Amino acid sequence: MTVSKNEPQESSGTANIQMMGAGGRTLRVAHWRLEEPSDHPPILFFNGIGANIEAVAPLAEMLTERAFVMFDMPGTGESPDPTLPYNPFTMSWTASLILDQLGVDEVDVMGVSWGGAMAQHFALQYPKRTRRLVLAATTAGMLMVPGNPKALTKMANPRRYIDPKFMNEHFQTLYGGIDPDGQAHQKDSHIGRLKPPSPRGYFYQLIAMLGWTSLPALPFLSKEVLVMMGDDDQIVPLVNGRILAMAIPNAQLDVIEGGGHLFLLTHADDSVAKLRTFLDAPATEAEMARAA
């Protein structure tokens, strides 16, 4: 049984943020422009591991023509700690319950990094709710080409969220890429929006994807898919995007030149332009036939 707690708690820019009960969990949910008329379905966004709503809020605020929904995973941001471990199936179900409470039927699904795996699983589990799919800086799960070992060992350390000095010292090793506005801007703009996850929340996110891969199912994914990758990503090398694009029948690959793992934020104008081109493209007869 889903218990709704749809009481507004706070606001972040133009976002409405509230605590909601879904699937036996209480989660902090943010949505932008749901009450405004739009010719586009909302975007359901799955964040990277340990990342809170505020980390990706600038992207949501740039896409002014469409609604945007995302939530803090259990133990992340201001969502309470999980009492039990979870997996992609249960969290996709939880996301679907949140959409039900918000009165949203069909969505464009998007995920970055760890959240890209969640986005793949949601699209496979709920094909009738998914119109198109955007996968950014992500992989097919355990069957991936690993990144820079130095970056991966630091990524597994939650100090990158808790200790600003640690993040500042290892930022380039972790994320790579070149910010057009300079490295200092890249650090400051990202670090300033982070809220550290709880140790349990971070650990449960790490183990949620153990043994998971989408690769055997990707040839059956009938949605139009945009795979976005940075060519200087230290965590998820570009070859993983090429694997996704080859495995998914109706996928296209866009590479952000000079983009690291955070290209959605450091190369926001270019990323948003590519998103709009993909999401706003008219449906082809073949796409409509697959949807039917």
Side-chain angles (χ1 to χ4, degrees):
M1 179 178 180
T2 300
V3 180
S4 177
K5 298 181 180 179
N6 297 342
E7 297 179 3
Q9 301 293 312
E10 56 181 302
S11 63
S12 176
T14 58
N16 292 313
I17 300 182
Q18 58 197 104
M19 302 302 290
M20 297 180 66
R25 300 173 178 85
T26 299
L27 299 171
R28 179 172 176 252
V29 180
H31 55 88
W32 286 254
R33 299 173 292 276
L34 271 184
E35 300 81 8
E36 299 176 12
S38 175
D39 295 328
H40 312 284
I43 291 175
L44 171 65
F45 189 91
F46 292 99
N47 220 333
I49 189 168
N52 51 292
I53 287 167
E54 286 77 8
V56 185
L59 176 67
E61 290 160 7
M62 289 183 72
L63 291 163
T64 55
E65 73 279 7
R66 63 184 74 234
F68 200 100
V69 178
M70 64 175 155
F71 56 91
D72 285 338
M73 285 287 169
T76 298
E78 295 182 19
S79 287
D81 264 359
T83 55
L84 296 171
Y86 54 85
N87 57 42
F89 178 88
T90 56
M91 286 313 300
S92 292
W93 172 60
T94 300
S96 181
L97 294 176
I98 288 172
L99 294 179
D100 288 343
Q101 293 185 54
L102 293 174
V104 175
D105 184 16
E106 187 181 55
V107 289
D108 287 322
V109 182
M110 181 175 181
V112 60
S113 192
W114 183 95
M118 279 296 310
Q120 293 170 64
H121 194 99
F122 183 94
L124 289 163
Q125 187 170 331
Y126 294 103
K128 292 184 178 179
R129 298 198 85 152
T130 303
R131 188 185 72 110
R132 291 180 180 175
L133 178 62
V134 179
L135 304 175
T138 194
T139 76
M142 63 176 290
L143 298 178
M144 67 170 287
V145 178
N148 184 331
K150 292 182 179 179
L152 295 177
T153 55
K154 290 178 175 60
M155 182 186 176
N157 191 335
R159 280 185 66 194
R160 68 190 178 111
Y161 290 107
I162 299 167
D163 185 350
K165 183 179 179 182
F166 178 87
M167 174 71 101
N168 190 64
E169 290 176 353
H170 301 292
F171 195 91
Q172 191 63 27
T173 300
L174 265 167
Y175 297 112
I178 300 170
D179 190 329
D181 294 323
Q183 190 180 55
H185 172 266
Q186 181 177 3
K187 291 180 182 179
D188 295 343
S189 63
H190 183 65
I191 295 173
R193 289 191 297 271
L194 293 178
K195 294 182 180 180
S198 72
R200 182 192 295 178
Y202 195 77
F203 176 67
Y204 279 12
Q205 269 198 282
L206 280 174
I207 66 172
M209 294 294 178
L210 286 179
W212 181 91
T213 180
S214 60
L215 203 54
L218 291 181
F220 303 99
L221 184 56
S222 62
K223 306 300 176 182
E224 298 291 317
V225 180
L226 172 64
V227 180
M228 302 178 70
M229 303 292 293
D231 63 5
D232 191 33
D233 191 331
Q234 298 300 299
I235 296 172
V236 182
L238 173 58
V239 64
N240 290 285
R242 299 195 189 281
I243 291 170
L244 289 172
M246 287 189 294
I248 301 170
N250 307 294
Q252 63 185 70
L253 174 66
D254 261 331
V255 179
I256 306 295
E257 293 185 8
H261 199 60
L262 300 178
F263 65 80
L264 286 177
L265 302 176
T266 61
H267 295 65
D269 290 341
D270 190 16
S271 298
V272 167
K274 292 180 184 298
L275 280 171
R276 285 188 169 126
T277 298
F278 172 71
L279 294 176
D280 294 349
T284 64
E285 291 185 8
E287 182 181 3
M288 289 188 288
R290 290 192 300 271

